[in-house]
């Protein structure tokens, strides 16, 4: 393999791992936002039922 091929493969691997980290981060952020919304909803419903 030539040096250029190895360089291109390494850059592609780096880009793919960055995309995986970004997707994982979006999933975690979405889950945290969902939990925060659920907690806020429960607090509002609890305060209005008193």
């Amino acid at each position: 393999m030539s040096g250029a091929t190895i360089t291109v493969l390494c850059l592609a691997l780096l880009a793919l791992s960055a995309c995986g980290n970004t997707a994982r981060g979006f999933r975690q952020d979405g889950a945290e936002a969902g939990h925060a919304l659920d907690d806020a909803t429960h607090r509002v419903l609890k305060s209005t039922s008193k």
Side-chain angles (χ1 to χ4, degrees), residues 1-12:
M1 271 191 195
S2 69
T5 304
I6 293 172
T7 302
V8 168
L9 289 176
C10 288
L11 288 174

PDB file of all heavy atoms in Angstrom, residues 1-12:
ATOM      1  N   MET A   1       0.844  -1.191   0.000  1.00  0.00           N
ATOM      2  CA  MET A   1       0.000   0.000   0.000  1.00  0.00           C
ATOM      3  C   MET A   1       0.882   1.244   0.000  1.00  0.00           C
ATOM      4  O   MET A   1       1.872   1.304   0.693  1.00  0.00           O
ATOM      5  CB  MET A   1      -0.864   0.032   1.257  1.00  0.00           C
ATOM      6  CG  MET A   1      -2.168  -0.653   1.138  1.00  0.00           C
ATOM      7  SD  MET A   1      -3.160  -0.243   2.572  1.00  0.00           S
ATOM      8  CE  MET A   1      -4.364  -1.486   2.398  1.00  0.00           C
ATOM      9  N   SER A   2       0.421   2.217  -0.724  1.00  0.00           N
ATOM     10  CA  SER A   2       1.188   3.450  -0.775  1.00  0.00           C
ATOM     11  C   SER A   2       0.873   4.317   0.450  1.00  0.00           C
ATOM     12  O   SER A   2      -0.115   4.100   1.154  1.00  0.00           O
ATOM     13  CB  SER A   2       0.857   4.215  -2.055  1.00  0.00           C
ATOM     14  OG  SER A   2      -0.466   4.697  -1.991  1.00  0.00           O
ATOM     15  N   GLY A   3       1.703   5.266   0.679  1.00  0.00           N
ATOM     16  CA  GLY A   3       1.520   6.165   1.820  1.00  0.00           C
ATOM     17  C   GLY A   3       0.241   6.977   1.710  1.00  0.00           C
ATOM     18  O   GLY A   3      -0.429   7.249   2.710  1.00  0.00           O
ATOM     19  N   ALA A   4      -0.129   7.336   0.482  1.00  0.00           N
ATOM     20  CA  ALA A   4      -1.346   8.120   0.275  1.00  0.00           C
ATOM     21  C   ALA A   4      -2.583   7.304   0.620  1.00  0.00           C
ATOM     22  O   ALA A   4      -3.533   7.811   1.227  1.00  0.00           O
ATOM     23  CB  ALA A   4      -1.427   8.608  -1.157  1.00  0.00           C
ATOM     24  N   THR A   5      -2.572   6.024   0.278  1.00  0.00           N
ATOM     25  CA  THR A   5      -3.702   5.151   0.582  1.00  0.00           C
ATOM     26  C   THR A   5      -3.876   4.984   2.077  1.00  0.00           C
ATOM     27  O   THR A   5      -4.995   5.050   2.599  1.00  0.00           O
ATOM     28  CB  THR A   5      -3.503   3.768  -0.084  1.00  0.00           C
ATOM     29  OG1 THR A   5      -3.313   3.948  -1.477  1.00  0.00           O
ATOM     30  CG2 THR A   5      -4.686   2.866   0.156  1.00  0.00           C
ATOM     31  N   ILE A   6      -2.774   4.787   2.765  1.00  0.00           N
ATOM     32  CA  ILE A   6      -2.826   4.638   4.224  1.00  0.00           C
ATOM     33  C   ILE A   6      -3.330   5.921   4.875  1.00  0.00           C
ATOM     34  O   ILE A   6      -4.146   5.885   5.800  1.00  0.00           O
ATOM     35  CB  ILE A   6      -1.447   4.227   4.769  1.00  0.00           C
ATOM     36  CG1 ILE A   6      -1.109   2.816   4.291  1.00  0.00           C
ATOM     37  CG2 ILE A   6      -1.408   4.299   6.292  1.00  0.00           C
ATOM     38  CD1 ILE A   6       0.288   2.372   4.609  1.00  0.00           C
ATOM     39  N   THR A   7      -2.884   7.054   4.364  1.00  0.00           N
ATOM     40  CA  THR A   7      -3.328   8.339   4.901  1.00  0.00           C
ATOM     41  C   THR A   7      -4.826   8.520   4.702  1.00  0.00           C
ATOM     42  O   THR A   7      -5.546   8.937   5.620  1.00  0.00           O
ATOM     43  CB  THR A   7      -2.564   9.487   4.219  1.00  0.00           C
ATOM     44  OG1 THR A   7      -1.161   9.289   4.426  1.00  0.00           O
ATOM     45  CG2 THR A   7      -2.993  10.827   4.767  1.00  0.00           C
ATOM     46  N   VAL A   8      -5.319   8.193   3.510  1.00  0.00           N
ATOM     47  CA  VAL A   8      -6.755   8.323   3.225  1.00  0.00           C
ATOM     48  C   VAL A   8      -7.560   7.387   4.123  1.00  0.00           C
ATOM     49  O   VAL A   8      -8.603   7.770   4.661  1.00  0.00           O
ATOM     50  CB  VAL A   8      -7.032   8.056   1.729  1.00  0.00           C
ATOM     51  CG1 VAL A   8      -8.522   7.906   1.471  1.00  0.00           C
ATOM     52  CG2 VAL A   8      -6.447   9.164   0.880  1.00  0.00           C
ATOM     53  N   LEU A   9      -7.103   6.166   4.314  1.00  0.00           N
ATOM     54  CA  LEU A   9      -7.801   5.222   5.184  1.00  0.00           C
ATOM     55  C   LEU A   9      -7.832   5.699   6.633  1.00  0.00           C
ATOM     56  O   LEU A   9      -8.851   5.589   7.317  1.00  0.00           O
ATOM     57  CB  LEU A   9      -7.150   3.838   5.090  1.00  0.00           C
ATOM     58  CG  LEU A   9      -7.376   3.084   3.787  1.00  0.00           C
ATOM     59  CD1 LEU A   9      -6.588   1.783   3.792  1.00  0.00           C
ATOM     60  CD2 LEU A   9      -8.849   2.817   3.572  1.00  0.00           C
ATOM     61  N   CYS A  10      -6.740   6.241   7.111  1.00  0.00           N
ATOM     62  CA  CYS A  10      -6.689   6.772   8.482  1.00  0.00           C
ATOM     63  C   CYS A  10      -7.636   7.959   8.647  1.00  0.00           C
ATOM     64  O   CYS A  10      -8.335   8.067   9.664  1.00  0.00           O
ATOM     65  CB  CYS A  10      -5.266   7.170   8.848  1.00  0.00           C
ATOM     66  SG  CYS A  10      -4.171   5.772   9.123  1.00  0.00           S
ATOM     67  N   LEU A  11      -7.672   8.835   7.659  1.00  0.00           N
ATOM     68  CA  LEU A  11      -8.577   9.986   7.733  1.00  0.00           C
ATOM     69  C   LEU A  11     -10.038   9.540   7.691  1.00  0.00           C
ATOM     70  O   LEU A  11     -10.883  10.096   8.404  1.00  0.00           O
ATOM     71  CB  LEU A  11      -8.291  10.967   6.600  1.00  0.00           C
ATOM     72  CG  LEU A  11      -6.991  11.763   6.735  1.00  0.00           C
ATOM     73  CD1 LEU A  11      -6.750  12.585   5.478  1.00  0.00           C
ATOM     74  CD2 LEU A  11      -7.027  12.643   7.958  1.00  0.00           C
ATOM     75  N   ALA A  12     -10.340   8.530   6.874  1.00  0.00           N
ATOM     76  CA  ALA A  12     -11.706   8.016   6.805  1.00  0.00           C
ATOM     77  C   ALA A  12     -12.110   7.392   8.139  1.00  0.00           C
ATOM     78  O   ALA A  12     -13.232   7.591   8.615  1.00  0.00           O
ATOM     79  CB  ALA A  12     -11.825   6.995   5.682  1.00  0.00           C
TER      80      ALA A  12
END
